[in-house]
Amino acid sequence: MALVGTEQPRAVLLSGPDVGELEQEYVLAALRSGWVAPAGPDLDRFEEEIAQRAGVPHAVAVNSGTAALHLALEGVGAGPGDVVVVPTLTFAATANAVLYTGAVPVFADCDPATGNLDAELLSGLLATLDAEGARVRAVVTVDLYGSCADYRRILPVCERYGVPVVEDAAESLGAARDGRPAGSFGRAAAFSFNGNKIMTTSGGGMLVTADTGLADRARYLAGQARLPAEHYEHAEVGYNYRLSNVLAALGRAQLCRLDAMIERRRAVRAAYREIFAPVDGVRLLAGDDPAGNCWLTGIVADPERTGWRARELAVHLRARQVETRPLFKPMHLQPLFAGARSALTGAAERLFANGLVLPGGSALDDDQVGRVVDGLTGFLDGRR
Ligand SMILES: *Cc1c(COP(=O)(O)O)cnc(C)c1O
């Protein structure tokens, strides 16, 4: 409750939604059209538009990125008795989707430069699992914080063992690598349109794939696995995963603005880059990636060289109403996955200890970015 004369400046959020008049127009038009069910022209168009953006022929709109991942894993046949390799440095949804199928996740560590799956470690892990006769049904890659994984090295490794890649592209819509768009690398990929992602449908996701059979089956399972008949006919367990046409309309408006929103995030990241460039011991996570979507900017501070810890910077910024967050806590450290098999180098644990995610939302205005910049320079000046 703000008292007169003590008005607080608006908190600077990590990644708030960025919606305006265009979104209102699209949503209102969808409501007025009467298509308020999980079917309708906006849903069809949204699927076509996202498929085109990802450079793949098929897209199935669903009500979360987690649902898209679940369907992708179902689509490559993951089930009880199977193993799925998952990066340890990710959001829990990546690993939870594996559990939904009845398969067991095996965690693999990351490349310290990017936080993405360590291709060399993966190669050794797949060789070991292969020698043991494990049924490895998929390797899930995560395009962390909007930077695509190193597919040039990962894809041949997976091919060698005949293991399909499922791309968790929840954070990377609009990013690219080696001239290919995020979402085009795996047998199937999942985008998220959660409220904090690069674009939002308030909640939603999309499965994209070049595999027609996989797309058809995902669409069928997402619609309660209803078989074609006049009555309700079901032969297997389905899910209520489809996206509403109204939310697809919101997504279409956001997609019109995606490139502009990415540009804004790039500009925010560039401001942080400039501040930290002269600071010994601080680097940007995936700082060399020219084609990331800059969803969020993570910094990594080596306390041996900086003389301060990332958590101290977080405290300093919080006092100025600036939200930050540690990098993802690795899955192998989560109570949920205690005892899970993991191939570790220590890279993810070090990133968790020394990393910090800074506000990067495209809705940040110049004043808010200025407040973060002032907070950062004030902190650094005090530590010199
Ligand atoms: C957000 C996210 C998800 C889940 O997407 P939802 O739409 O929230 O279900 C999965 N994986 C990663 C890496 C994410 O960041």
Side-chain angles (χ1 to χ4, degrees), residues 206-274:
M206 190 81 77
L207 176 145
V208 294
T209 181
D211 183 330
T212 308
L214 195 154
D216 289 346
R217 180 162 169 81
R219 193 178 298 279
Y220 152 78
L221 288 176
Q224 301 280 27
R226 185 180 173 196
L227 290 164
E230 205 179 327
H231 59 272
Y232 288 113
E233 179 78 11
H234 304 272
E236 59 187 318
V237 178
Y239 310 101
N240 183 10
Y241 275 174
R242 285 291 271 165
L243 184 72
S244 148
N245 186 70
V246 176
L247 299 184
L250 174 53
R252 293 188 63 211
Q254 287 266 283
L255 193 56
C256 291
R257 298 179 46 235
L258 178 63
D259 288 319
M261 293 195 290
I262 290 174
E263 273 319 301
R264 180 65 184 162
R265 289 190 190 247
R266 288 221 164 98
V268 174
R269 185 181 179 90
Y272 298 152
R273 185 191 295 282
E274 200 179 312

Side-chain angles (χ1 to χ4, degrees), residues 16-320:
D18 179 0
V19 298
E21 279 175 29
L22 191 68
E23 286 78 4
Q24 292 177 18
E25 254 174 54
Y26 271 64
V27 169
L28 203 56
L31 284 172
R32 286 184 173 145
S33 76
W35 289 100
V36 293
D42 284 297
L43 197 61
D44 296 342
R45 295 288 300 282
F46 189 41
E47 289 180 339
E48 289 164 18
E49 289 161 2
I50 291 287
Q52 192 181 20
R53 184 85 204 202
V56 294
H58 307 292
V60 180
V62 290
N63 51 26
S64 74
T66 311
L69 269 176
H70 180 196
L71 293 174
L73 288 163
E74 276 262 357
V76 297
D82 292 336
V83 158
V84 174
V85 177
V86 176
T88 191
L89 191 66
T90 186
F91 181 56
T94 317
N96 283 341
V98 173
L99 295 184
Y100 297 170
T101 68
V104 171
V106 170
F107 296 110
D109 220 318
C110 66
D111 174 348
T114 62
N116 282 326
L117 190 58
D118 180 331
E120 202 177 307
L121 185 74
L122 174 68
S123 178
L125 176 61
L126 288 182
T128 305
L129 291 168
D130 190 56
E132 291 172 9
R135 267 192 358 224
V136 185
R137 197 61 77 179
V139 168
V140 181
T141 54
V142 177
D143 301 330
L144 200 70
Y145 301 124
S147 224
C148 287
D150 188 357
Y151 292 104
R152 205 193 293 215
R153 295 176 64 207
I154 291 171
L155 295 181
V157 168
C158 294
E159 227 159 81
R160 199 183 312 145
Y161 294 95
V163 178
V165 169
V166 168
E167 182 182 355
D168 182 346
E171 304 174 358
S172 62
L173 180 67
R177 175 124 188 177
D178 302 325
R180 280 173 65 182
S184 70
F185 294 98
R187 171 83 61 83
F191 292 120
S192 166
F193 309 124
N194 191 30
N196 64 346
K197 291 304 198 304
I198 193 95
M199 63 166 251
T200 187
T201 58
S202 77
M206 190 81 77
L207 176 145
V208 294
T209 181
D211 183 330
T212 308
L214 195 154
D216 289 346
R217 180 162 169 81
R219 193 178 298 279
Y220 152 78
L221 288 176
Q224 301 280 27
R226 185 180 173 196
L227 290 164
E230 205 179 327
H231 59 272
Y232 288 113
E233 179 78 11
H234 304 272
E236 59 187 318
V237 178
Y239 310 101
N240 183 10
Y241 275 174
R242 285 291 271 165
L243 184 72
S244 148
N245 186 70
V246 176
L247 299 184
L250 174 53
R252 293 188 63 211
Q254 287 266 283
L255 193 56
C256 291
R257 298 179 46 235
L258 178 63
D259 288 319
M261 293 195 290
I262 290 174
E263 273 319 301
R264 180 65 184 162
R265 289 190 190 247
R266 288 221 164 98
V268 174
R269 185 181 179 90
Y272 298 152
R273 185 191 295 282
E274 200 179 312
I275 291 170
F276 288 111
V279 181
D280 182 49
V282 181
R283 63 183 173 91
L284 301 194
L285 193 66
D288 298 329
D289 183 2
N293 68 6
C294 300
W295 175 52
L296 289 175
T297 294
I299 63 159
V300 187
D302 174 2
E304 307 272 300
R305 286 159 67 195
T306 56
W308 49 266
R309 293 194 157 272
R311 305 278 150 99
E312 296 171 58
L313 174 57
V315 169
H316 179 89
L317 292 173
R318 192 181 310 134
R320 283 150 189 82

